[in-house]
């Protein structure tokens, strides 16, 4: 499938509502989940209609892996976390998206997965701005 | 990190206890989780000491992506499932492993993730044998 230009890419409304836009990479938009309990980024390939990773063509798959690697590095550098969780689930939002989450033994969901656990704790405007700056400075 | 020969690769004991061995691919061992509630395969790269995907070298990362793709195709072909869930978590078992799970709207965890939900329902010897044959015939 062809890549959609950034300005025309229709982000799923639920993803848009639950996240802050960070930046756009070659293939993916990078989003910060608005939940201060976890440092949690999401990559969304700008490929309209893609639901599963195998819907991407070979070059796009390689690029997605590269960007997962890049964002994993950013999250690790930011948090020095105990473990990264990387996953493409999409049971609720079908638009293909990949979660990259810093996990800590002290976090609200450890050692379980984060999805569906408790209630998101939105960032304050200041915390959001500070974190977005830290992320962008590493990209 | 160098790849460990198949015969010498030390699979984490918990992964070994919870799964049946399916086959070995170029990089990974393929395991079937012993839980008949889900068609759930796991890829374990035979790279001793790897915990995160970025611990693999560039060629190993590409090979892992190829094998995730291959196993995703097998799972989809077997189940025609509603959604694939693909994830590398490792909060409990640190040895790098990637889950590939067929999800159905009627399954025991939908639309949440499967990890930590309820109690595994082991396969009968016959069901296990039948499913392993079906998986192997697609590899």
């Amino acid at each position: 499938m062809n890549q959609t230009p950034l300005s025309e890419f229709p982000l799923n409304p639920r993803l848009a509502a639950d996240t802050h836009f960070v930046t756009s990479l070659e293939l993916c938009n990078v989003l910060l989940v608005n939940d201060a309990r976890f440092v949690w980024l999401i990559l969304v390939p700008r490929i309209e209609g893609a639901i599963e990773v195998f819907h991407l063509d070979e070059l796009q798959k390689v690029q997605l892996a590269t960007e997962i690697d890049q964002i994993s590095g950013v999250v690790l550098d930011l948090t020095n976390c105990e473990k990264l969780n990387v996953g493409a689930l999409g049971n609720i939002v079908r638009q293909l998206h990949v979660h990259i989450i810093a996990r800590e033994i002290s976090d609200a969901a450890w050692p379980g997965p984060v999805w569906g656990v408790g209630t998101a704790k939105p960032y304050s405007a200041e915390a959001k701005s500070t974190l977005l700056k830290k992320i962008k400075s590493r990209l």
Side-chain angles (χ1 to χ4, degrees), chain A:
Chain A
M1 286 187 270
N2 291 330
Q3 189 163 355
T4 306
L6 177 59
S7 59
E8 296 169 20
F9 179 65
L11 183 64
N12 172 282
R14 175 146 178 183
L15 280 181
D18 291 349
T19 64
H20 300 295
F21 179 79
V22 180
T23 192
S24 63
L25 303 176
E26 188 178 319
L27 177 68
C28 297
N29 285 2
V30 184
L31 309 173
L32 171 68
V33 174
N34 189 20
D35 186 348
R37 299 176 304 161
F38 310 101
V39 174
W40 179 348
L41 296 177
I42 292 181
L43 286 173
V44 184
R46 291 186 300 280
I47 309 292
E48 267 186 87
I51 294 175
E52 305 285 1
V53 173
F54 65 74
H55 291 149
L56 305 183
D57 68 27
E58 292 310 309
L59 278 175
Q60 291 163 350
K61 281 180 201 165
V62 170
Q63 185 60 30
L64 177 61
T66 300
E67 296 182 8
I68 290 172
D69 222 50
Q70 181 183 5
I71 295 299
S72 297
V74 168
V75 168
L76 196 73
D77 186 48
L78 258 173
T79 64
N80 193 27
C81 59
E82 176 71 17
K83 188 68 190 68
L84 287 174
N85 286 183
V86 177
L89 284 78
N91 304 334
I92 294 172
V93 169
R94 296 304 164 89
Q95 183 173 62
L96 177 60
H97 60 288
V98 179
H99 302 267
I100 299 165
I101 310 154
R103 301 302 308 276
E104 304 288 358
I105 291 173
S106 59
D107 77 32
W110 186 268
V114 301
W115 302 281
V117 170
T119 305
K121 184 180 160 193
Y123 286 101
S124 68
E126 190 184 340
K128 177 188 95 171
S129 164
T130 303
L131 183 54
L132 286 177
K133 269 184 208 152
K134 284 184 183 171
I135 295 168
K136 286 179 186 172
S137 74
R138 287 165 169 83
L139 285 168

